[in-house]
Amino acid sequence: MVGNISLGEYNLIYNTFSFTFAVMAAATLFFWFCRDQVSNHYKIAITITGLVTFIAAYHYLQIFISFREAYTLKDGVVGATGYQFNDAYRYVDWLLTVPLLLIELILVMNLSREQTIKKSALLGLAAAIMVILGYPGEMSSEAGTRWFWWFLSMIPFVYIVYQLFFGLRGSINQQPEQAKSLISGACILTVIVWCFYPVVFILPMIGFEGGNAFTSLQVGYSIADIMAKAAFGFLIFAIAKRKSELENSH
Amino acid sequence: MVGNISLGEYNLIYNTFSFTFAVMAAATLFFWFCRDQVSNHYKIAITITGLVTFIAAYHYLQIFISFREAYTLKDGVVGATGYQFNDAYRYVDWLLTVPLLLIELILVMNLSREQTIKKSALLGLAAAIMVILGYPGEMSSEAGTRWFWWFLSMIPFVYIVYQLFFGLRGSINQQPEQAKSLISGACILTVIVWCFYPVVFILPMIGFEGGNAFTSLQVGYSIADIMAKAAFGFLIFAIAKRKSELENSH
């Protein structure tokens, strides 16, 4: 979905993409460098945390390049070049990163091998299906089609939210006291931030039009991605570090 | 803000951007390579020190590219291409790096977890607000608008300066004798260098015009950034190394 955008919108989108790329790249380096700050059995979780922001950094760079190919700003006037702005990068990114985000959270809980595999597979699969079902809706500018896929995509979404609030309750209770609130915090952050996506998705269906809809979608998704990947990842790192310190002090 | 620039100004800006990128990139590599020279509990501080210069290197590269798209120099004549010089990169950079700079300083003090989180949150937030309030002024070429946002931005600025001089006094006094002067030095450097920014900001309001104002702004900010990020970072590294040596000798 592309529309005519104003000068202000052009600059806002332009700077948002550059900013998001910088955040994701910086977060990746932080996670990978500080991997040596956690115990051995949390290193895979922190590696994946950095992979998520790495994959996001790659896609935001591509989105940024694609945007600069689709629009020009010359003599103060924004013009469309006719070249495609490739919106699919986001969905390709999410298909990879959203299951990994849930796996991060499960890995940092340090459950039994059996539980880890089972919960990772179920939540990871649900996340992938959620992203796949959202895509045909996003590609459409017709409200009916968007709503149809939105509803389908909300089924796995609700399942994941339910799991984060109730399914993982038992596992969270087994966590050390000093890490429990951080892990609950990570679950709550996930639910709150993830609720952003279906809301941003429906903006074009509830009155936002043309350049306005395009801008709010791009900026909205970027902010949500920063929260869901970089800020969430930092919380995962804090959990792993806190738990490592507790374990070492025994 | 763009103006017609002379051949000398073009060359000065061009070389300043290239120089600043090279300094930031080299500083980043130095910090990350020398991360193994400090004790484990200072590694996060040094990682962030390198992240700050990494983020700055990225933005200076983009600023440099943007400048080369906005101006050409052919047959000894400087011309504007009509493509935008994106001035917002600086503010996007500062939004990320300025809070991180203060967090570096707090981390290297090795305070209690509680104090670290509290002081990082307060100073980081004040720094982000300061940058956000400066931006609308910078985007304006009208003196009244610039002054208005300059004053608003100075409120968090004064708060941070006060914290660096007085709020951290107690924490500095707890530092080992041999590191105290270095840490005080880092606080003083921050205050002196940071005072550069509001001064550079007002240059266009006190008589500097057109290409002259543009050049003094670009060169002024670049010099201030080198001092505030690379030189300050080196001081942070020196503090961490000194403290690591002291702790190991006990």
Side-chain angles (χ1 to χ4, degrees), chain A residues 73-130:
Chain A
L73 170 52
K74 207 179 166 186
D75 301 324
V77 178
V78 179
T81 59
Y83 289 105
Q84 179 186 236
F85 173 70
N86 183 13
D87 228 359
Y89 281 127
R90 291 196 181 284
Y91 279 78
V92 174
D93 177 89
W94 292 339
L95 191 58
L96 282 165
T97 55
V98 179
L100 288 175
L101 279 170
L102 294 171
I103 293 170
E104 272 173 42
L105 184 62
I106 293 159
L107 283 178
V108 89
M109 289 191 186
N110 202 22
L111 310 174
S112 69
R113 182 189 301 265
E114 208 178 42
Q115 283 285 303
T116 302
I117 293 173
K118 193 183 145 204
K119 287 187 190 294
S120 296
L122 273 176
L123 285 175
L125 198 67
I129 293 171
M130 175 179 79

Side-chain angles (χ1 to χ4, degrees), chain A residues 14-15 18 36 75 242 245, chain B residues 35 58 82 84 86 89 113:
Chain A
Y14 185 102
N15 292 313
S18 178
D36 64 2
D75 301 324
R242 182 79 58 97
E245 285 165 2
Chain B
R35 192 175 174 271
Y58 163 73
Q84 179 184 235
N86 184 17
Y89 279 128
R113 182 191 299 266

Side-chain angles (χ1 to χ4, degrees), chain A residues 181-197:
Chain A
S181 65
L182 276 175
I183 294 184
S184 290
C187 290
I188 293 167
L189 177 74
T190 306
V191 172
I192 293 174
V193 173
W194 284 30
C195 283
F196 247 75
Y197 292 92

Side-chain angles (χ1 to χ4, degrees), chain B residues 98-130:
Chain B
V98 179
L100 288 176
L101 280 170
L102 294 171
I103 292 171
E104 272 173 43
L105 184 62
I106 292 160
L107 283 178
V108 88
M109 290 192 186
N110 201 24
L111 309 175
S112 69
R113 182 191 299 266
E114 212 177 39
Q115 283 285 305
T116 302
I117 293 173
K118 195 183 144 205
K119 286 186 189 296
S120 296
L122 274 177
L123 286 174
L125 197 68
I129 292 171
M130 175 180 79

Side-chain angles (χ1 to χ4, degrees), chain A residues 184-233:
Chain A
S184 290
C187 290
I188 293 167
L189 177 74
T190 306
V191 172
I192 293 174
V193 173
W194 284 30
C195 283
F196 247 75
Y197 292 92
V199 171
V200 173
F201 187 99
I202 61 173
L203 288 180
M205 294 111 93
I206 54 167
F208 286 73
E209 279 181 358
N212 223 316
F214 178 70
T215 307
S216 48
L217 220 76
Q218 298 307 327
V219 175
Y221 281 146
S222 301
I223 295 170
D225 275 348
I226 289 174
M227 296 304 294
K229 296 178 167 78
F232 174 79

